[in-house]
Amino acid sequence: MTPTTPSPVLLLAGHWLGAWAWDDVLEHLGPAARAEALTLPGLDPADPLRRTRTLEDQVDAICTALGRLRGSPHDAAVVVAHSGANAPVSLVLDRHPQLVHRVVWVDSGPATSGSAAAPDLSPGVEELALPPFAVLAEQASLEGLSPEVLETFRARAVPEPAPVLRQAVELTHDDRHDVPTTLVCCSIPSAQVLELARGGHPMFADVARLTTVDVVDLPTGHWPMWSRPAELAAVIASTAG
């Protein structure tokens, strides 16, 4: 039997992070994996238009990357979306589900139509910097992150453009629910995530509408690419085949 070629993998980190956030995971995936990480528009510190980048810019960049990764028209990719990358990835799934073989949500999940990351952000704010870690820890678990990792996080974090945070995610096509999905549950156990989804919690409401879902518990904080990179890489590799 001829071995199958693994699906290409596109890695997308959440707010304040670029492709560099996946370096440890990529090392564990190894050179045989058809994997690459993408810095979303608005998170490249060298971009002079960084503060004005929008979700639409991010969607376009993801679609361009998926097109580049495809070896053939049937070669759809595994898209790995961490945290706040769920907004642009949900839009890609809504508009171009045929481009995605499977989506892997890393301590995240599909966005709910009409939701925005920070809809009430003051009009005068152009960007949102990484908050102090004491404040961030009230929003997301820092479990497993060493002082050295936190120092790197602080040094390399890029402020999130305000347009990305304000824009509501408008979703109109139910086909997005049919894209095979893996939920990697880290800071919230899978049993709780599924209970919240069944209860209609706005953060997880679309999980209940997915037709094909695998659930993986990877207990750690909100940034498993740093706290448990080998285990996360193994999960990703298993989804790519």
Side-chain angles (χ1 to χ4, degrees):
M1 180 180 295
T2 302
T4 59
T5 302
S7 298
V9 176
L10 182 66
L11 302 160
L12 303 163
H15 295 158
W16 308 297
L17 302 175
W20 64 270
W22 297 102
D23 285 352
D24 289 347
V25 171
L26 286 169
E27 183 176 349
H28 285 289
L29 285 171
R34 302 167 63 199
E36 70 172 56
L38 176 68
T39 296
L40 290 170
L43 293 164
D44 178 355
D47 179 4
L49 302 177
R50 188 186 60 72
R51 292 180 180 86
T52 63
R53 298 302 185 187
T54 66
L55 278 181
E56 294 302 323
D57 293 326
Q58 295 186 345
V59 169
D60 290 345
I62 293 170
C63 290
T64 298
L66 292 175
R68 183 176 64 252
L69 284 169
R70 299 181 85 184
S72 72
H74 304 292
D75 196 17
V78 172
V79 176
V80 180
H82 166 255
S83 189
N86 71 330
V89 170
S90 292
L91 286 166
V92 171
L93 294 172
D94 186 63
R95 300 173 187 178
H96 308 287
Q98 76 282 357
L99 295 179
V100 183
H101 171 66
R102 176 175 287 270
V103 59
V104 180
W105 301 111
V106 177
D107 219 36
S108 186
T112 304
S113 187
S115 64
D120 300 324
L121 196 62
S122 170
V125 174
E126 293 186 337
E127 60 184 14
L128 189 65
L130 178 68
F133 287 130
V135 175
L136 186 63
E138 297 175 357
Q139 306 166 9
S141 171
L142 301 177
E143 181 183 342
L145 301 186
S146 67
E148 293 77 17
V149 167
L150 290 175
E151 183 179 353
T152 300
F153 190 2
R154 175 67 59 192
R156 300 197 66 175
V158 174
E160 195 74 19
V164 170
L165 298 171
R166 291 194 187 99
Q167 183 180 337
V169 177
E170 301 296 342
L171 307 170
T172 59
H173 299 100
D174 288 342
D175 287 355
R176 71 184 186 278
H177 299 135
D178 297 329
V179 176
T181 300
T182 298
L183 297 176
V184 182
C185 301
C186 301
S187 59
I188 303 177
S190 62
Q192 185 178 352
V193 169
L194 296 176
E195 181 180 356
L196 291 168
R198 288 190 293 266
H201 189 288
M203 187 177 294
F204 300 102
D206 264 32
V207 171
R209 300 171 185 163
L210 300 173
T211 58
T212 305
V213 187
D214 294 330
V215 179
V216 177
D217 278 296
L218 186 62
T220 187
H222 187 58
W223 289 270
M225 65 276 281
W226 301 331
S227 59
R228 299 189 65 178
E231 295 91 337
L232 181 56
V235 172
I236 293 168
S238 71
T239 67

